[in-house]
């Protein structure tokens, strides 16, 4: 029951870490790989290609349209976005992992031992990729998760007219302190809505948003996304993805960050496995690497707070300012550079 490394959680972050590792590695998740999708499964096409998961792409989205209550702007994406199939994407990442997978519920951690309902497993290197709940970190620090710093979103897939535009709606008619979206995904279109504060109204507001587009609610899925960066290291464990609050504030984008920080974490852990550095050095190196990106999180969190206090007409005015060609290109370049694979 002793491993070189244990990765808890087998979604984007966990698989990104695991695919970098060679040796006696255990990957644990409560469900089969590719199940329990809670993501919009949207990111830059370049990210999907970088991890060689192109077969999972459903739609390439070359334009972005932003709707405010009083205005609408549209611009060309310098790096096209894409929607992808969650299961296929996870399988694509899984193909590069040569370790052992265990389907089990994680109960906690004691020292270097992860406790599950299928037994207890030990390793020098342990990674918490269990999502916003951060199960291992929370077991060490009970108050680790700030439940006030969570975005709650729901999504459904519908048949409707197709296009190649990624659409966002910042409009208080549909949601307060949040936004809605409409993303083409192959033969379907994903309609979703989320809020930073009024979680209890999200389901009803999604119904209202669908009705506006002439649609009726079908099966829904979704969940929470932390919108504040958290500590990347707790005790002797690494945290990656939503466990570490690595999704962007304001936009909620998290796939790219999970892979970006996951790959770096995996590379550091591999150096520890190969005896090129010790655990303490590896933990510090990873923490320093993540902390160098705090300026991007602070900037986007500041805009999130500003937009949450700005009336619809004000958001529309800001959107119009960004419609100018050079400014929107500058913003896109900076947005991509924040975490660039």
């Amino acid at each position: 029951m002793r491993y070189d490394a244990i990765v808890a959680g087998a979604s984007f972050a966990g698989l990104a870490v695991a695919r970098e590792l060679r040796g006696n590695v255990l990957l644990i998740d409560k469900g089969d790989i590719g199940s329990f999708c809670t993501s919009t499964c949207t990111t830059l096409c370049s990210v999907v290609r970088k991890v060689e998961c192109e077969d999972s792409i459903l739609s390439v989205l070359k334009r972005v349209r932003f709707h405010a209550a009083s205005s609408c702007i549209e611009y060309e994406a310098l790096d096209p976005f894409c929607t992808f199939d969650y299961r296929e994407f996870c399988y694509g990442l899984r193909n590069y992992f040569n370790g052992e997978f265990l389907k089990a519920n994680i109960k906690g951690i004691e020292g270097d031992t992860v406790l599950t309902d299928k037994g207890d497993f030990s390793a020098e290197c342990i990674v918490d990729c269990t999502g916003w709940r951060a199960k291992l970190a929370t077991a060490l620090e009970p108050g680790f998760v700030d439940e006030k710093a969570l975005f709650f979103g729901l999504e459904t897939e519908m048949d409707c007219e197709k296009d190649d535009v990624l659409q966002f709606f910042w409009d208080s008619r549909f949601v307060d302190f949040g936004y809605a979206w409409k993303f083409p995904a192959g033969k379907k279109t994903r309609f979703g809505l989320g809020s930073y504060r009024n979680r209890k109204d999200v389901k009803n507001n999604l119904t209202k948003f669908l009705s506006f587009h002439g649609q009726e609610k079908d099966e829904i899925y979704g969940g929470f996304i932390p919108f504040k960066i958290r500590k990347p290291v707790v005790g002797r464990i690494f945290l990656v993805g939503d466990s570490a609050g690595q999704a962007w504030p304001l936009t909620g984008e998290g796939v790219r960050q999970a892979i970006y920080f996951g790959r770096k974490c995996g590379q550091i852990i591999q150096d520890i496995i190969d005896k090129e550095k010790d655990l303490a050095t590896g933990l510090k190196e990873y923490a320093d690497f993540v902390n160098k990106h705090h300026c991007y999180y602070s900037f986007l969190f500041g805009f999130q707070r500003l937009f949450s206090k700005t009336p619809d007409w004000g958001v529309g005015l800001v959107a119009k300012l960004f419609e100018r060609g050079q400014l929107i290109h500058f913003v896109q370049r900076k947005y991509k550079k924040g975490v660039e694979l």
Side-chain angles (χ1 to χ4, degrees), residues 180-193:
W181 59 89
K182 179 183 176 185
F183 298 165
K187 296 179 180 180
K188 300 281 188 177
T189 296
R190 293 170 179 162
F191 291 86
L193 182 146

Side-chain angles (χ1 to χ4, degrees), residues 8-60:
S11 190
F12 306 127
L15 291 168
V17 175
R19 63 176 274 153
E20 298 293 325
L21 301 178
R22 302 175 306 280
N24 189 20
V25 180
L26 178 64
L27 176 64
I28 307 173
D29 198 277
K30 64 181 180 180
D32 295 320
I33 291 176
S35 59
F36 299 115
C37 175
T38 59
S39 169
T40 61
C41 296
T42 306
T43 190
L44 299 174
C45 285
S46 58
V47 173
V48 180
R49 295 191 181 102
K50 190 74 174 181
V51 295
E52 301 179 76
C53 293
E54 295 96 324
D55 290 346
S56 69
I57 292 177
L58 297 173
S59 293
V60 175

Side-chain angles (χ1 to χ4, degrees), residues 48-106:
V48 180
R49 295 191 181 102
K50 190 74 174 181
V51 295
E52 301 179 76
C53 293
E54 295 96 324
D55 290 346
S56 69
I57 292 177
L58 297 173
S59 293
V60 175
L61 310 171
K62 299 179 180 180
R63 300 192 64 79
V64 178
R65 188 179 299 150
F66 181 84
H67 302 262
S70 58
S71 62
C72 175
I73 68 166
E74 183 174 322
Y75 59 88
E76 184 176 356
L78 295 180
D79 186 347
F81 289 86
C82 70
T83 49
F84 58 85
D85 181 270
Y86 178 74
R87 183 182 179 88
E88 290 299 320
F89 188 82
C90 289
Y91 276 13
L93 294 175
R94 170 68 175 86
N95 287 337
Y96 294 89
F97 172 57
N98 296 316
E100 179 183 345
F101 174 72
L102 174 68
K103 185 176 175 180
N105 289 310
I106 294 171

Side-chain angles (χ1 to χ4, degrees), residues 200-336:
K200 64 180 181 180
D201 295 329
V202 167
K203 191 173 182 180
N204 289 335
N205 286 338
L206 178 58
T207 301
K208 188 191 306 182
F209 179 62
L210 287 166
S211 178
F212 177 78
H213 289 277
Q215 303 287 336
E216 293 184 2
K217 185 172 58 184
D218 198 353
E219 181 179 356
I220 60 174
Y221 56 91
F224 292 96
I225 304 173
F227 58 76
K228 284 186 180 179
I229 191 76
R230 301 171 176 174
K231 291 189 294 186
V233 168
V234 174
R236 56 179 293 126
I237 62 175
F238 301 84
L239 281 75
V240 184
D242 284 350
S243 292
Q246 290 171 344
W248 286 142
L250 184 64
T251 67
E253 183 192 4
V255 178
R256 180 162 52 118
Q257 293 87 326
I259 294 171
Y260 176 77
F261 290 114
R263 293 179 68 182
K264 182 63 176 181
C265 182
Q267 292 161 7
I268 291 171
I269 291 174
Q270 189 60 52
D271 287 343
I272 297 171
I273 293 173
D274 293 338
K275 307 299 182 184
E276 295 181 8
K277 61 186 63 163
D278 60 26
L279 177 61
T281 301
L283 289 166
K284 184 178 185 305
E285 181 180 341
Y286 176 67
D288 289 344
F289 178 79
V290 175
N291 291 337
K292 285 193 304 184
H293 297 76
H294 271 209
C295 58
Y296 294 98
Y297 286 90
S298 297
F299 180 77
L300 288 171
F301 181 64
F303 262 97
Q304 176 182 305
R305 294 183 65 184
L306 176 63
F307 276 22
S308 296
K309 298 176 181 179
T310 303
D312 289 348
W313 65 265
V315 175
L317 179 60
V318 172
K320 280 295 183 182
L321 293 175
F322 278 90
E323 191 174 21
R324 300 176 182 179
Q326 292 301 318
L327 183 56
I328 196 63
H329 289 168
F330 173 79
V331 171
Q332 287 189 76
R333 287 193 294 269
K334 287 294 184 181
Y335 185 78
K336 181 180 176 183

